[in-house]
Every structure is written in structure tokens, then in C-alpha cells.
Amino acid sequence: MQPYTYVIAVDFEATCWEKQAPPQWREAEIIEFPAVLVNLKTGKIEAEFHQYILPIESPRLSSYCTELTGIQQKTVDSGVPLQTALMMFHEWLRKELRARNLTLPKMSKSNILGNCAFVTWTDWDFGICLAKECTRKRMRKAAYFNQWIDVRAIYRSWYKYRPCNFSDALSHVGLAFEGRAHSGIDDAKNLGALMCKMVRDGALFSITKDLTPYQQLNPNCVL
Ligand code: AMP
Ligand code: MG
Ligand code: MG
């Protein structure tokens, strides 16, 4: 049985440089934070969160980063600090979940699995990018960011195919990427579309990553 009736697709864009060494790659700062709430029954996006973020450690975007993501310097200059974006996201999340009676994993004692989950493409967004930036900046990260579904992991086992990138994953199942690749909001919408296609094809989704596997409920998860 499919436990999730809704998913929240998230795809961060972050500061980057051409031919950067892996340690630098791991110290990226988030510059675009998009999230789309997708109804898996209808395939429709019902709500959208989208915020550009001001990088503090490396305020100047490389031309490589701007070309890759399409994000201009002036766009991040008028963005908000990550901490503010996280607070805005929290409010958005609270409102959208309440409106639909949705719960995230480990949010409610009576339904530990929840009926709505975060989905990302790979573990990078929550497992590396957000986790490391919050640690570096000594920022509290809400516990709901600790559980997610890596759609790529499910995709690989369901279709028995290892896509070379996200666009390849879409085209292999007959979908065309809509919008601009590496624009966070477009990536998130396309990830939502891929999820819906996978559900139609019969794939079952469950949490693939839990950074706090021994914790019964998320502390302070007041949503
Ligand atoms: P994506 O979701 O695939 O658009 O990538 C998320 C982030 O990973 C980007 O905003 C970059 O910071 C980094 N990234 C992705 N692809 C590359 C690449 N080819 N070279 C350098 N950084 C990249
Ligand atoms: Mg991504
Ligand atoms: Mg992206």
C-alpha cells in the first residue's frame, strides 16, 4: 500500500564553482529553496514555496554558478538569509499540512509513517547541503528535515535503470523536462511529475533516509 497521499518535492540550488574540488563542493550555500506540495492522487501541485537566499560565506556568485542555475547576482542579493527562509518555510509547511490534515513521518504518535513525505533527487539536498550549512552556521535545523525519500534510489530499483542524470531519468520513462534544468523550482516541479509517473507505474515509496533512526518522534515538531 502507498502510505503517502502527498509529497513535498524539494530541490536546492547552491553556490558552486567550475571544476571545484570535492571539499569546496561540500561547503556550498543554498541560494534557491523551492518546495512543491504534490497531490499524488490527482498529480496536481497544490502549493508552492519559493525563496531565493542570500549567500553569506561566498556572497559573489561565480559566472559558472549563474550559467548552471540561471540565478543572477541581483536575485540572491535581494534574497533572505537561510535562517529567515527556514522560518518562512516552517510557516508555509504548517499552514499547508494543517489545511489538508497531513502529517510528516515521526510527527504524530498515532501515525509514525505520516501521510506526506519530503522527496528529493539523491541524498544531497538534506543529507549534505542543508545539514552541513546548518552545522557550519550553528543554525538549528528542524527535525522534519531528517527523513526523506530519495526518489533516485526508488527509481533505480523500480525501473532497473541507473540514469546518468535527472533529465535522463525523466526521458527514460517517457517524460520531457519542463522548464530550465538546474532552476530549483523547475527541478522540484519535474521531480513531482516524475513521482506521479512512478506512482502510476506502481512504484511503492517509503522513507529511504532517516538521520535519526532511533528516535520515536521528532522533538519540537510543532506543526
Ligand atoms: P541540481 O539540483 O542538479 O540543479 O544541483 C544542485 C546544486 O548542485 C547546484 O546548484 C550546484 O551547486 C551543484 N551542481 C550541480 N551540478 C553541478 C555541476 N555540474 N558542477 C558544479 N556544481 C554542480
Ligand atoms: Mg537537485
Ligand atoms: Mg536543481
Side-chain angles (χ1 to χ4, degrees):
M1 277 299 288
Q2 194 73 256
Y4 301 109
T5 50
Y6 282 79
V7 290
I8 300 169
V10 173
D11 184 85
F12 296 139
E13 299 305 324
T15 52
C16 56
W17 295 266
E18 193 168 12
K19 299 193 190 110
Q20 65 202 41
Q24 195 182 9
W25 174 70
R26 277 190 246 113
E27 305 229 327
E29 289 179 281
I30 299 168
I31 53 175
E32 183 183 0
F33 184 160
V36 292
L37 177 69
V38 185
N39 181 331
L40 291 180
K41 290 218 172 86
T42 63
K44 294 265 185 303
I45 291 175
E46 292 190 7
E48 197 176 308
F49 175 85
H50 191 204
Q51 190 63 55
Y52 288 100
I53 301 179
L54 180 74
I56 308 288
E57 296 164 334
S58 305
R60 300 296 307 170
L61 295 186
S62 66
S63 51
Y64 180 80
C65 183
T66 293
E67 269 158 43
L68 180 79
T69 62
I71 301 170
Q72 305 295 322
Q73 183 67 45
K74 60 178 185 307
T75 306
V76 290
D77 284 346
S78 55
V80 299
L82 178 60
Q83 179 109 56
T84 309
L86 290 174
M87 283 162 49
M88 293 162 79
F89 178 71
H90 187 84
E91 286 314 309
W92 176 85
L93 187 63
R94 186 211 303 267
K95 181 170 142 263
E96 301 302 339
L97 294 183
R98 278 197 182 165
R100 296 168 182 81
N101 218 3
L102 297 176
T103 53
L104 293 169
K106 292 186 168 181
M107 220 177 102
S108 139
K109 220 182 220 166
S110 58
N111 184 359
I112 289 277
L113 282 180
N115 53 14
C116 175
F118 285 112
V119 299
T120 58
W121 183 253
T122 78
D123 288 330
W124 177 80
D125 300 78
F126 293 157
I128 296 178
C129 191
L130 181 67
K132 287 197 171 284
E133 187 170 351
C134 286
T135 303
R136 278 200 322 276
K137 296 183 174 175
R138 293 187 172 77
M139 274 167 25
R140 200 185 143 266
K141 181 181 64 134
Y144 47 70
F145 288 122
N146 287 340
Q147 296 84 28
W148 66 89
I149 298 170
D150 168 15
V151 178
R152 190 178 71 173
I154 310 267
Y155 182 104
R156 283 174 169 177
S157 61
W158 181 252
Y159 294 116
K160 307 273 180 291
Y161 178 72
R162 293 173 76 87
C164 58
N165 54 40
F166 182 52
S167 293
D168 179 39
L170 291 170
S171 55
H172 180 74
V173 296
L175 297 178
F177 190 98
E178 289 191 7
R180 186 195 195 287
H182 302 295
S183 148
I185 187 69
D186 290 349
D187 283 350
K189 287 178 180 173
N190 282 278
L191 181 59
L194 177 60
M195 270 288 309
C196 293
K197 164 74 175 153
M198 291 176 71
V199 168
R200 287 200 302 277
D201 287 349
L204 286 179
F205 286 87
S206 57
I207 296 297
T208 58
K209 193 77 171 182
D210 185 350
L211 298 179
T212 54
Y214 306 110
Q215 215 160 267
Q216 262 293 88
L217 281 181
N218 278 335
N220 312 319
C221 195
V222 192
L223 276 167

